[in-house]
Amino acid sequence: MTNPYGQQQPYGQQPGYGPPSGGMPAPYGQPAPYGQPSPYGAPGGMPGGGGDINAIKDYKGWAIGCIFLCWIIAIFAIMKSNEVNTYKMQGNYAAAADASRSTRTMCMIASIIGGLGCLFAIVMIIISIVAAASVPSCYGRYC
């Protein structure tokens, strides 16, 4: 690329600007070149040492399934699951991991509440059947 004065400029540099101080950091999410430390202080280029963004789960399927167990908590779990993807797209991996843990916790609570509710319903059905079987089927002097 040539500037208006006929001088050849290296690709990617603006006229009058020198190279950046401190060198060029590795692109975010990419591992540092061999033999050089990561600019973020962790292997893999991602804060916290994780090299794979897909390792942060959003638990969306579990959150949607929890609607049948405890819908109030499941709605908040679905909203938190959406935050995980939003934070991952923004590059805020710490917030994404925190939202992922919150989603997992809410799903676990909804599953436990739903499981206890199902167990309670089964026990009540058994008690109702036993109580109905112990009641005589006829009343009065015609039995």
Side-chain angles (χ1 to χ4, degrees), residues 5-69:
Y5 305 108
Q7 298 168 341
Q8 183 72 22
Q9 294 293 325
Y11 182 74
Q13 287 187 353
Q14 300 287 332
Y17 294 104
S21 62
M24 294 292 291
Y28 195 74
Q30 299 294 322
Y34 182 74
Q36 294 183 7
S38 170
Y40 304 104
M46 195 168 126
D52 187 17
I53 187 174
N54 295 324
I56 302 174
K57 296 182 180 178
D58 62 357
Y59 300 105
K60 188 176 294 273
W62 191 9
I64 291 171
C66 286
I67 288 177
F68 300 107
L69 300 173

Side-chain angles (χ1 to χ4, degrees), residues 71-92:
W71 64 270
I72 295 172
I73 297 175
I75 290 172
F76 290 108
I78 291 170
M79 291 184 336
K80 197 56 107 164
S81 174
N82 289 333
E83 286 182 16
V84 173
N85 291 329
T86 302
Y87 288 138
K88 284 191 331 188
M89 286 189 293
Q90 292 173 353
N92 191 351

Side-chain angles (χ1 to χ4, degrees), residues 10 76 98 109 124 130:
F76 290 108
D98 186 45
I109 291 170
M124 292 308 292
V130 169

